Structures are given as structure tokens and as C-alpha cells.
């Protein structure tokens, strides 16, 4: 019995060691100069053309993903300086989009309603306070305005207040700091629950 247990534990340990070596090898390759994730020359030129095409077609998330996975600086976009402002705005927009999708996920679980949380306020403040002059900012701003208006039931005045609010400052609704509760009640009223 002890012999069989020793053999089985040895196999498990060997598998763990092999997986660990595989992970280490992958990350060394991923961040090495020979990595196919980091590009130069003709491949970099092709990526720039592809990013330009994605931006023209409105496929913003695809443009961001291509740039961030093929640039050694991640969100600083050293390989793509001509698109850095657009990509930075898309990155901030993606954080807002993730918050909305998480809120949708909670709605799918039952009788929950969209809740505009304090963390959502912070990510939206970061998005609105971006000082970039990117070509996509206006369109992304309309999208975020639409989320706030149609999904969280914020009024035009509240959205404008949020746009002008300094990053980190508290945002309130109907004189209440309980943003989550207010937005839930508004959605309940909207769906006549």
C-alpha cells in the first residue's frame, strides 16, 4: 500500500514540476527579445496597418488587444505612438465596459437590477478626465453616456455633473451617497417591479 502511495505521489509531484517548468519557460519566452509577442520590422508595420483598419472600422477593443499584446510596455504603447491616445482611451473605456457587463451578470442571476457602484464611478471618472485628444474619444464618450442614461437611468444633468467632477471626488444621486441603492430603485421603477 505504501509503495503504491509513494508511486502516485511521485507522479503527482512530477506533473507539478513539469507544469511549473512549462509556465516558467513560457513567461521567459513571452518577455524575451525573441518572443513573437514583441514585434519589429515588417510585422510591426503590418500591425500598425491592422490597428489603423480596426480603428477606422470601429473595432476598438480588437485594436487595443492587438497593440497591448505586441508591445513590451503594455498600456504605454511604445510600439504604436501614433495610436497611443486612442488606445489609452479604449483601455479606459474597456474598464467601464467590464463594470457594465458585471452588473448585467448580476441581473441575469435573478431579481437583481443594475447597480451603479462606487467603483464604477471611479472608472468612469478616469475615463471622462482623460486629457487625450484622440479621434475615438467622442464616440466612446457617447457610448459611456448611453450606458449611464439607458442602463443606470442617470439623467442628462447627472451625467454632466459626473463629467465635470474631479477624479476621486464623491458623486451623489438624489442627495444620497447610496448610488447603488438609488440606481437599483430606478431600474425597479423602470421595469415596474
Amino acid at each position: 500500500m505504501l509503495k503504491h502511495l509513494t508511486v502516485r505521489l511521485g507522479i503527482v509531484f512530477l506533473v507539478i514540476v513539469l507544469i511549473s517548468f512549462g509556465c516558467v519557460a513560457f513567461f521567459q519566452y513571452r518577455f524575451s527579445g525573441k518572443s513573437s509577442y514583441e514585434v519589429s520590422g515588417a510585422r510591426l508595420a503590418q500591425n500598425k496597418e491592422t490597428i489603423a483598419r480596426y480603428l477606422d472600422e470601429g473595432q476598438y477593443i480588437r485594436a487595443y488587444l492587438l497593440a497591448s499584446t505586441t508591445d513590451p510596455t503594455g498600456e504605454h504603447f511604445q510600439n504604436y505612438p501614433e495610436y497611443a491616445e486612442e488606445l489609452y482611451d479604449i483601455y479606459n473605456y474597456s474598464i467601464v465596459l467590464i463594470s457594465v457587463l458585471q452588473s448585467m451578470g448580476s441581473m441575469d442571476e435573478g431579481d437583481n437590477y443594475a447597480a451603479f457602484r462606487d467603483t464604477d464611478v471611479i472608472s468612469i471618472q478616469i475615463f471622462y478626465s482623460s486629457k487625450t485628444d484622440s479621434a475615438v474619444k467622442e464616440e466612446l464618450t457617447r457610448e459611456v453616456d448611453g450606458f449611464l442614461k439607458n442602463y443606470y437611468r442617470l439623467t442628462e444633468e447627472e451625467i454632466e455633473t459626473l463629467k465635470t467632477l474631479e477624479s476621486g471626488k464623491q458623486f451623489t444621486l438624489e442627495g444620497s451617497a447610496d448610488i447603488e441603492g438609488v440606481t437599483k430603485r430606478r431600474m425597479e421603477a423602470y421595469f415596474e417591479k
Side-chain angles (χ1 to χ4, degrees):
M1 180 75 164
L2 186 60
K3 187 176 181 180
H4 289 294
L5 184 62
T6 305
V7 170
R8 288 183 180 155
L9 286 175
I11 291 171
V12 170
F13 179 72
L14 182 62
V15 169
I16 291 171
V17 168
L18 289 174
I19 291 172
S20 299
F21 277 125
C23 290
V24 168
F26 171 77
F27 282 107
Q28 283 181 340
Y29 169 73
R30 167 64 177 89
F31 295 105
S32 73
K34 297 176 183 174
S35 171
S36 62
Y37 290 91
E38 294 181 21
V39 296
S40 60
R43 185 153 178 230
L44 179 59
Q46 182 183 6
N47 281 2
K48 288 181 180 183
E49 290 174 12
T50 304
I51 288 171
R53 192 183 73 224
Y54 285 159
L55 292 173
D56 289 342
E57 295 171 356
Q59 297 183 52
Y60 301 132
I61 301 297
R62 288 184 78 179
Y64 163 74
L65 289 173
L66 176 59
S68 63
T69 55
T70 57
D71 191 295
T73 60
E75 274 77 51
H76 295 291
F77 309 112
Q78 177 181 303
N79 281 353
Y80 309 100
E82 60 271 65
Y83 306 114
E85 290 185 341
E86 285 82 359
L87 295 167
Y88 182 70
D89 282 333
I90 294 166
Y91 169 71
N92 288 334
Y93 167 77
S94 71
I95 295 173
V96 173
L97 186 59
I98 288 168
S99 297
V100 173
L101 293 173
Q102 286 174 338
S103 187
M104 284 182 180
S106 70
M107 287 179 72
D108 291 340
E109 292 170 7
D111 288 334
N112 300 310
Y113 288 89
F116 191 47
R117 302 161 298 186
D118 288 329
T119 53
D120 302 332
V121 172
I122 292 166
S123 60
I124 286 177
Q125 284 178 323
I126 291 169
F127 173 79
Y128 281 137
S129 64
S130 170
K131 301 298 183 207
T132 63
D133 190 24
S134 74
V136 300
K137 182 68 184 265
E138 188 176 325
E139 185 175 345
L140 294 179
T141 300
R142 280 197 303 272
E143 293 257 340
V144 173
D145 290 353
F147 293 144
L148 294 173
K149 185 176 183 181
N150 301 319
Y151 190 65
Y152 293 111
R153 314 309 302 166
L154 267 62
T155 65
E156 295 281 351
E157 296 79 20
E158 290 167 341
I159 294 170
E160 289 306 314
T161 301
L162 186 53
K163 286 181 182 180
T164 58
L165 203 63
E166 289 180 34
S167 185
K169 296 289 184 181
Q170 187 174 13
F171 177 67
T172 58
L173 291 173
E174 295 181 350
S176 169
D178 181 21
I179 298 170
E180 189 170 342
V182 172
T183 52
K184 278 185 177 180
R185 286 193 297 275
R186 288 182 182 183
M187 289 297 282
E188 288 172 1
Y190 180 72
F191 287 110
E192 298 178 351
K193 172 88 175 169

